[in-house]
Amino acid sequence: MKDIRAVPTAVVAGACVAQLIDNITYTISFACLPHLFEDMKLASESKIGLVAAMFGVGGVLTSSLSGFISDRLKSRKLPLVVGSVGYAVCGCVLFFSHKLWHLMLYRLLNGMASGLVYPISTAAVGDVYPHKLLGLQMAMLNMFNNAGYMIGPIVGGVVLLSLILGFGIKEPLLIHDNLMEQAEVASELSSEKEKTITEEIEIVESKDIPLWKLVLKWRVLLASIITLSLGTLNSSLDNMLGIHVKDTFKVTSSKAGLLYVLNGGVSILLSMPTGSAVDWIIGRHGEIARGYIQIIGLLLTSGAVFTIGMSDSFATILGVEAWLAASNLLVNIPVMSSFGDFVNSLRLNSMAQCYGIFNSFWSLSSTFAPPIATWLYTRIGFRSTVCGLLSGLCILCACLILGETIWQIRKRI
């Protein structure tokens, strides 16, 4: 692993920029997609869900493969560069989009590019902190992720309002700029090893483990199940909320973007304190404390989701979004760091594969959740879907973690 070790601060900074750009390209269509479908005579909740699902399909296709190749080649540069080119290609596809399958292809390519960039940039951070808990580092990535989550819908809404000649004129310019920045990030991550190492990093002999065995390791499998559930929750809300506030409260695209601004803003403010607290608690009380943190976060998330479902005004939903963002952090940061902490604790040569698994499960949820959620929205309504199914999913995950925690305690006795 020596050739992918580098100056930790430079790698973290590069990974943060990579994930900022990655999430901007992911969320840029959230606020305006329902309006764009209407303008293109494609206005159908099921079709919106289908287009959104293609992002997850692309992510699943590339995440695990990129992690496997990166770990075997001991290089993080190639997937990042290919992902950067992918952003430019999907921007060009979007420029010429005027049919449903064009939009599906755009989201597919977008997901494939994200499946290369996201897990590899995260793995690069885990590489350079082999003997530390990764909560704080994952919190930093989460902070920039949420900055992109906040910026993307605003850009999408502004582009929608400023278009004169139709769909897809200005976004490719943004994607092209992203390509340049992303290429610089990839170069930084790969070339830092040639610079003077200012921080001593102990290199240890790493062990290889087949991907299928890695997935079946209980800590990895449990974290993957929680990732799948959390991804299902967020993907469903991302797609249904925009439709719901437009249909129910007649909210414009720019106003709907405030949902993502508030969610991202709260996450940015609380990510670092949450990451530091998670590391401190786990360091002081052991790995079992991770489960307690996640249970608290899931219960709070369930309450927030239920309240959103019962809300009768756009202002109320806006307020609860702050609650949802904060509680999400209590689940997401411990889960994200658990993958890298597991690899480091066993000294495995599987960092990129582990975060490829993480992104695969998240992408899988992005594949099936949007079409199912939008279908349920048209059949049983927003309130029943959110208050019943999504809130219940959080409770189910909390019970699963509680059962695992009790089993661990009984195992110690």
Side-chain angles (χ1 to χ4, degrees), residues 139-193:
M140 292 178 66
L141 295 181
N142 191 72
M143 183 172 67
F144 278 83
N145 245 315
N146 280 284
Y149 187 88
M150 182 173 64
I151 295 169
I154 297 176
V155 174
V158 170
V159 168
L160 174 66
L161 293 175
S162 64
L163 290 181
I164 298 175
L165 299 178
F167 175 56
I169 293 179
K170 293 188 178 180
E171 186 175 12
L173 300 178
L174 175 65
I175 301 297
H176 178 73
D177 291 340
N178 290 345
L179 168 65
M180 297 298 101
E181 294 182 63
Q182 200 67 263
E184 291 173 8
V185 171
S187 299
E188 181 179 35
L189 290 175
S190 62
S191 64
E192 280 293 335
K193 63 179 180 284

Side-chain angles (χ1 to χ4, degrees), residues 325-347:
S327 57
N328 250 326
L329 290 176
L330 292 176
V331 186
N332 196 35
I333 289 177
V335 169
M336 283 184 68
S337 61
S338 67
F339 286 93
D341 291 341
F342 171 76
V343 171
N344 285 334
S345 67
L346 298 182
R347 297 181 177 180

Side-chain angles (χ1 to χ4, degrees), residues 268-329:
I268 289 170
L269 289 175
L270 297 182
S271 284
M272 296 290 285
T274 303
S276 298
V278 166
D279 279 350
W280 183 84
I281 293 171
I282 295 175
R284 185 177 178 84
H285 300 286
E287 185 64 29
I288 199 168
R290 191 189 302 272
Y292 293 130
I293 297 170
Q294 291 171 337
I295 290 171
I296 293 171
L298 284 165
L299 294 177
L300 290 172
T301 299
S302 178
V305 171
F306 186 87
T307 306
I308 287 176
M310 297 298 293
S311 298
D312 56 3
S313 71
F314 181 67
T316 304
I317 293 177
L318 269 178
V320 180
E321 273 291 317
W323 170 7
L324 178 63
S327 57
N328 250 326
L329 290 176

Side-chain angles (χ1 to χ4, degrees), residues 31 48 60 67 80 138 163 169 204 217 230 232 262 296 333 386:
I48 293 174
V60 171
L80 288 173
M138 294 301 110
L163 290 181
I169 293 179
V204 297
K217 292 290 183 181
L230 200 62
T232 299
L262 184 61
I296 293 171
I333 289 177
V386 173

